[in-house]
Amino acid sequence: MTQQLSGAHILIADDQADVARTLCRPLHKAGARLRFVTDGHAALQEIASRPFDLVLIDMKMPPDEWGGLWLLRQLQEGGWQLPSLVLSGEGSKQQVIEALRTGTTDWIVKDHAAEELTERCRKVLSDRLDEALTLAASRLPTPLAYRFARYERTLDSDKKAVEGLHTLESIFRLAAIFGLSTTPPAPLAGITPVRLAAPSMGTWFDICTALAKLPGAGNDFIRMMSWLVPERSDHQPVQKLISVRNDLAHGRSNPTAAQARQLETLLRRFAHRAASSWRADVMVPTSMTYDGRTYSVDVLSLKGTGKPIPGKLTTETPVITGQAFLVPHASTPIPLAPWLLTHTTSGDDDVRCLQFDGLQRNKSDRPSTMPFKFARPHDDADPPTVSHPDAIAQSLAQWTTS
């Protein structure tokens, strides 16, 4: 079976470009989307800028004599957890052993690659997709982790499809929050005040699509969206699932078995890419000290479905304790307020996220000061009351079109 290869993005790092293209021709015929580079440095650049499901690595390529090992070490040290398959020539068993110790998933003798490569790639991807939902529930930021955990443990087929649509919407919503928090404000095409005051699943996706077209869109937002829709042609299947969600919301029809399978494939592939390549954390500072040069911050990392994870952060800029920040890999924390606020229910070790969900309609409020409405990503209960000076309708004006 090669169905796992259809639509899979595979990076091939091999300095013998013609040989690599010949070996990988069956992968292309099976529907994989291939990208070729000739050295480890170029491979790292590609991995940092594009989504990949699998990396094929030639052992003997630049830099160094064993550039494949160099690349694997860089990936390991950088926190990347992409599955990889090493292509090994004769007489390199010692290097293969080292590659396995450095985190490669599998290896194949290059002379036998023509016969074995397609099936071995399929097996690696199949195994990773099988565990993708579990990995997402433990590695992704809490607002997403809860939804993936709920989706995975739902057994009834009809309920699972509905939960899957909620999970897909949660991806759009968190991506939009990251985009709104990291992108210079500008009117978003097609996003009116009415739509943003009561956002639907389609509104969240349209917000993300419009944000991605703005200059200066945040890197972590762009990366997150690329895991879901890496190419323009990938938008159509997502739009069809949004239509399914609309039909369900209006009581017209439930998802079909084919639509549920399509949704499952989409969610598993996103979960795999996100769990393998996530480069930012959602953190809440609890205390901060300044030594005259840098700030040392005690933080709680909101990752997975368990309790927040205590840690430390060093930054050159002060942060506000009790508020959520997006902390990119080796970069400055970015405040997520007013789009994502936090609520402490039983002390500093139990912090919950609350996500923007439109406006609270109150006749006593002036239109510009109407407060934000928030939703709890971890369950459907009524959210606690929270406030932020910028969590008012006036903050939406810079993003909307008339």
Side-chain angles (χ1 to χ4, degrees), residues 120-142:
R120 299 283 280 278
C121 288
R122 187 210 64 79
K123 178 66 165 59
V124 169
L125 279 175
S126 177
D127 290 346
R128 183 57 69 95
L129 290 172
D130 283 346
E131 62 179 355
L133 300 180
T134 301
L135 292 176
S138 63
R139 294 180 183 175
L140 300 193
T142 297

Side-chain angles (χ1 to χ4, degrees), residues 254-267:
N254 290 325
T256 65
Q259 290 166 340
R261 287 194 297 271
Q262 181 186 28
L263 178 60
E264 172 99 2
T265 298
L266 187 68
L267 291 176

